[in-house]
Amino acid sequence: MLTLIVFLPLAAALALVALPRLGDPQARWAWVAVAAVDLALVVVVWARYATPPAGGLAFEERAAWMPGVNSSYHIGVDGFSLPLVAMTAVIFLACAVHALRERHRPRIQAALFLFLQSVSLGLFVAADLILFFVFFDLSIVGMYFVIAGWGHGNRGHSAMKFFLYTFLGSLALLVGFIGLYVAAEPHTFDIPELVAAAPLAGRPPRWRAGAGRDPGRPGGEDPHRPVPHLAAARAHRRAAVGSAVLAGVLLKMGTYGFVRIALPMLPQAWRAWAWVVIVVGVVSVIYGALVALAQTNVKRMIAYTSVNHMGYIALAVGAAGLVAADTTQARTVAVTGAVTQMVSHGLITAALFLLAGVLQDRAGTYDMGAYGGLATPAPVFATLFAVGAFASLGLPAFSGFIAEFQIFTGSVAVAPVTAIALVGILVTAALFLRALQEVFTGETRGHSLGFTDLRSSEVWSVGPLLLLSLVIGILPRPLLDVIEPASVAVVDLVGR
Amino acid sequence: MDAEMRMRPLLLLPEMLLFVGGLGALICGSFVPRQRQWLIRVLTAVVLIAAMTAAAVQLAGPAQRAFEGTYTIDTATGVARILAAFGTLLVLALAAEEIAGSARESETYALLLFATTGTVVLAGADDLLVLAAGFLLASIPLYGLIGLVNTTAGAEAAMKTYLMGALFGIVLLLGVTVLSGVTGTTMYEELEEGLARAPAAAVAVATVGVVAGLMFKAGGVPAHFWIPDVAQGSSATVATFLTTVPKIGALIAVYRLVGVLPDTASWPLLVALFAVASMTLGNLAAYWQNDPRRLLGWSTVSQVGFLLVPIVVTGRSNLALPSLLAYLAGYTVTNIAAFAIVAALPDRRNLAGYRGLATQRPWLAAALLVALLGLVGTPPAAVFVGKLTTAAAAWDGGYSWLAVVVFVNTVLSLFYYLRWIVPTYRHADADADADAGAAAQILGRRRCPRAPLSSRLRSASPRVSPPGPSGTWSASIRNRGAASTFFRCTGN
């Protein structure tokens, strides 16, 4: 079942490449159809999902792959991966719908995005480090071509920069994986087995510090590391669907690596470095918010709010490492909040990037100063953008609130000083309100004159993402019921 | 007399098939009219397939030794036989297009078969003299193969290879002499005990000599200078063969040799130094190349460095041999694929010429992308498995720093492969400055129009100075004009 979900888009991508005579409209609709079928399959998996025992996986599949190094094709879902798999399928479907109006080589674009969908889904279900790495590296290759082929500005340069940074990060990751492999007895790359073995537990702390931090570094994908986030922000000079996928899905690979690999496999190292992670998290929350506030370019502003939002996740997983008596529940809440935030941020940021893409599409600029009073000619656009902005700043009734509320409840209970990150929420609120005011209110002027409102493909791509965020915000229970058992398990493991 | 000590020549059936096939190709080729030379090609292919089949059958059996214990038939030999024959078969497919109907067609096939035999003998040798014989059998056909091209560059490449080969052949024989001198035997089995009592300095010198000699065949530092010239100057068939198949035998020979060395010689460090030097120098030199074949030539030098990594941990990690064989297999197919693409586009002799390939020949461009990313070691390409397992083996064997060096060099290698990939996926009319130089811009360097290092490295040295520090070579730049004249004279 999972194999089908992962490889269906890839098969479709190959078919699209192999059929050059296919017309552009057919290619676009084929993409939508495949993405929809894939989402339907994910819904079926979700419906039949039963929480596996701690340390286990549901819908597990395993086949020999490289027996010589104990690496197998091992996939499965648990409370962390299932929500991200679902989010990935939703975002890619939204992108497919949004791209129905794409005129620039739609067939190749569809193939490339289907390929990216396959590798993203594969990464989230991988239960083997090498499989994880393979999908991770392929996502970089795929994204390189998305940026180089459909970006704007000096796209060759930003694509190359993105590729080099993330490739460098991925090799650091691989070195860490090999370290884990060598440290485990018997040597293995299997994630559940490594989790059970906690390979570096008995080693001196220095050794752990060196090898232990690597798995927490799934490369430049993780934008709260200071240098790569600049690359991430620059890489956003690209078409809307590319940004939506990068920010919505690919950025989650890094934070997913934390909860899937770093926390459970390296509990001692994680505890030793918890404060570092927390500080990085708090700094990126505040720094990301402040830099976003200084932007006049809508797209860059959204890119930097991603830095801010991913900071909350780092804060929460860092807090999970502060093991002390009576804090188990608080830490569980923090981890649950972190995973909820991954899903929530994916949905909301993808929606915002797709909306920002509309500005570029209509008027050719993202500059806030070039617009004004846009609400009059484009009321639907204004409404959806406002909804997205409020969801992003963490207004109650949206998924962002559920996530950030849990993160702060958990983190502040463990370490009260983390409350300073609340400033980030305030700044985010300010910057979104300022952006809304500047672009949508006042007298209609500049590029706002003659601005065409959202077309149906745009409404139907952005709308469902925001609607889903609203549904999670109002009825969070189904999502939290899936995540919480996994959080309990991982907090247990960190406490080892 | 036990089974180990008997001749058992039938165990060498694949080698015999290859060698006799070579003789057959040579003799039959003289009697077959030129337009029917494809018959010889078919004969060669049949011989290769037969050798592979025989090797596969023996691979299924237990490890055995032939010729009184001087030749081992085990997994490594079996894989080397199959890989070498398979690689030659792929080269043959490539050759069909390039040399069909040419004047030296059957000779080429014969020389390819002889060189393949030499490679396989190198891989199976369990005796220093067999090793030396394999070295010569693998080398001499190469000089002929390179010289078959009737161009100045081809003559230069042949001369350079010949001089390098002669020098390193002597160095290898020197090492063999010292080793057998201090132990009184040439058989690996007896060497092992003899060397433990031998003076460490003599063993170290001899090891350096033998390994350096084998590096000539593998095309690694310090005997790598002929590789880029051959890759550029000889025919595509020969370039592909030379940068791929001989490495298989040479590296397995190094693996076997270090397996019997005593710990007193600190050979792991020695091999590690060869490995680091090869990968780093190969990568740095490749970065400046503008001719895709020269670039590939340097890239094979760096690949030898990666291939030496598992040899460093021979005996310290169970992964050493499997990872070496896995890497060799991945490398063989990937490198041949990369050269085949270059051979398919003979009129594109510099990287800028690949601009727009993706729109004109999308499948070829996709193949190039896969081959080059494969050489980088991007998953899920075959070399990735090799790189992963070699790094794991190095770490497992206590050489974690070497694993890190492997990945640092992988990043380095990415830069020049990208210099090739990027223009390929650019529109032919795109802005010139934006593409080929993008990698260079990111490095913070301006694009280098003159490629000074490449021309420097391309310049031939008039005398064969010892492969010492690069200063010796760069000192000969001043004589470059004289050097070219020299080679032109000797070439014609």
Side-chain angles (χ1 to χ4, degrees), chain A residues 139-493:
Chain A
S139 74
I140 301 174
V141 175
M143 205 60 221
Y144 170 81
F145 282 103
V146 169
I147 301 173
W150 286 267
H152 3 263
N154 190 357
R155 61 194 189 194
H157 192 76
S158 43
M160 183 69 78
K161 201 157 195 165
F162 168 84
F163 188 82
L164 290 177
Y165 274 125
T166 43
F167 192 78
L168 193 66
S170 82
L171 288 178
L173 185 69
L174 187 59
V175 172
F177 285 175
I178 293 175
L180 284 169
Y181 164 80
V182 171
E185 264 323 319
H187 297 343
T188 180
F189 280 112
D190 194 69
I191 292 178
E193 284 173 25
L194 279 169
V195 168
L200 299 180
R203 301 297 182 107
R206 191 174 54 82
W207 215 90
R208 286 203 310 267
R213 282 184 329 154
D214 278 329
R217 293 180 184 167
E221 299 287 1
D222 197 358
H224 46 63
R225 292 176 52 218
V227 180
H229 88 238
L230 295 176
R234 291 216 182 90
H236 278 291
R237 282 195 292 217
R238 82 175 71 84
V241 284
S243 293
V245 165
L246 182 86
V249 179
L250 270 66
L251 287 186
K252 304 301 173 301
M253 293 179 178
T255 50
Y256 176 71
F258 282 133
V259 292
R260 169 62 63 219
I261 298 167
L263 261 76
M265 272 182 217
L266 300 154
Q268 288 179 328
W270 191 263
R271 291 203 297 269
W273 291 83
W275 275 109
V276 176
V277 180
I278 292 174
V279 169
V280 169
V282 172
V283 167
S284 42
V285 164
I286 294 171
Y287 171 81
L290 289 175
V291 177
L293 184 65
Q295 300 300 319
T296 54
N297 177 318
V298 177
K299 198 169 185 184
R300 289 182 72 91
M301 180 190 85
I302 299 169
Y304 278 105
T305 59
S306 288
V307 177
N308 160 279
H309 283 114
M310 302 303 273
Y312 295 126
I313 299 177
L315 169 62
V317 291
L322 296 176
V323 176
D326 306 334
T327 58
T328 312
Q329 204 197 341
R331 288 183 291 122
T332 310
V333 170
V335 172
T336 309
V339 178
T340 316
Q341 174 78 338
M342 291 183 211
V343 176
S344 152
H345 173 257
L347 296 173
I348 296 167
T349 306
L352 284 173
F353 271 122
L354 292 179
L355 285 170
V358 173
L359 291 176
Q360 170 79 17
D361 181 60
R362 304 288 198 278
T365 177
Y366 291 119
D367 190 24
M368 286 185 217
Y371 300 92
L374 194 54
T376 318
V380 181
F381 178 65
T383 312
L384 284 181
F385 197 94
V387 171
F390 284 120
S392 182
L393 63 83
L395 199 72
F398 286 102
S399 57
F401 172 75
I402 303 289
E404 282 161 30
F405 178 73
Q406 293 190 86
I407 288 172
F408 279 109
T409 311
S411 309
V412 173
V414 177
V417 67
T418 56
I420 54 169
L422 282 165
V423 177
I425 294 190
L426 204 64
V427 178
T428 319
L431 74 93
F432 270 117
L433 291 175
R434 192 202 53 158
L436 287 174
Q437 197 177 9
E438 199 161 338
V439 175
F440 294 102
T441 60
E443 186 193 346
T444 306
R445 62 185 175 81
H447 289 295
S448 300
L449 297 166
F451 195 96
T452 319
D453 205 355
L454 290 189
R455 299 189 173 91
S456 60
S457 72
E458 289 155 351
V459 175
W460 282 104
S461 57
V462 175
L465 292 176
L466 294 175
L467 188 66
L468 207 54
S469 169
L470 186 67
V471 169
I472 294 173
I474 295 171
L475 297 168
R477 226 40 259 173
L479 178 66
L480 297 183
D481 282 341
V482 169
I483 300 175
E484 269 165 5
S487 307
V488 172
V490 85
V491 165
D492 262 3
L493 290 168

Side-chain angles (χ1 to χ4, degrees), chain B residues 87-318:
Chain B
T88 314
L89 198 62
L90 290 179
V91 171
L92 207 64
L94 198 63
E97 204 171 310
E98 196 185 23
I99 59 170
S102 75
R104 296 272 172 267
E105 196 180 348
S106 59
E107 286 86 340
T108 306
Y109 299 142
L111 288 171
L112 285 176
L113 283 177
F114 289 141
T116 311
T117 319
T119 294
V120 176
V121 170
L122 269 182
D126 222 1
D127 183 285
L128 288 171
L129 291 179
V130 179
L131 180 78
F135 180 86
L136 294 175
L137 185 56
S139 305
I140 293 170
L142 298 192
Y143 310 143
L145 277 173
I146 302 166
L148 282 178
V149 191
N150 217 352
T151 60
T152 322
E156 181 180 330
M159 180 54 85
K160 206 165 182 178
T161 312
Y162 177 69
L163 293 177
M164 297 290 292
L167 174 71
F168 281 94
I170 291 168
V171 171
L172 176 109
L173 288 176
L174 176 77
V176 167
T177 315
V178 173
L179 281 180
S180 59
V182 294
T183 56
T185 178
T186 57
M187 283 188 35
Y188 283 4
E189 205 174 20
E190 295 163 16
L191 272 180
E192 196 162 4
E193 30 193 290
L195 284 178
R197 294 190 304 272
V203 177
V205 170
T207 308
V208 171
V210 178
V211 174
L214 288 171
M215 280 303 104
F216 166 73
K217 286 263 59 69
V221 172
H224 61 281
F225 295 99
W226 58 284
I227 289 275
D229 290 87
V230 168
Q232 187 182 30
S234 61
S235 68
T237 311
V238 175
T240 314
F241 180 81
L242 285 192
T243 52
T244 314
V245 176
K247 289 192 201 321
I248 301 168
L251 288 161
I252 293 180
V254 177
Y255 167 80
R256 283 199 201 286
L257 178 75
V258 298
V260 299
L261 291 177
D263 290 336
T264 50
S266 68
W267 55 266
L269 188 64
L270 173 79
V271 179
L273 287 179
F274 277 121
V276 173
S278 272
M279 55 179 114
T280 312
L281 188 70
N283 280 333
L284 293 181
Y287 181 72
W288 303 98
Q289 305 304 325
N290 263 322
D291 181 327
R293 277 165 67 169
R294 242 186 129 69
L295 187 149
L296 275 183
W298 280 111
S299 110
T300 67
V301 173
S302 75
Q303 298 285 346
V304 174
F306 296 126
L307 282 160
L308 282 170
V309 168
I311 297 177
V312 173
V313 291
T314 305
R316 284 179 174 74
S317 167
N318 295 332

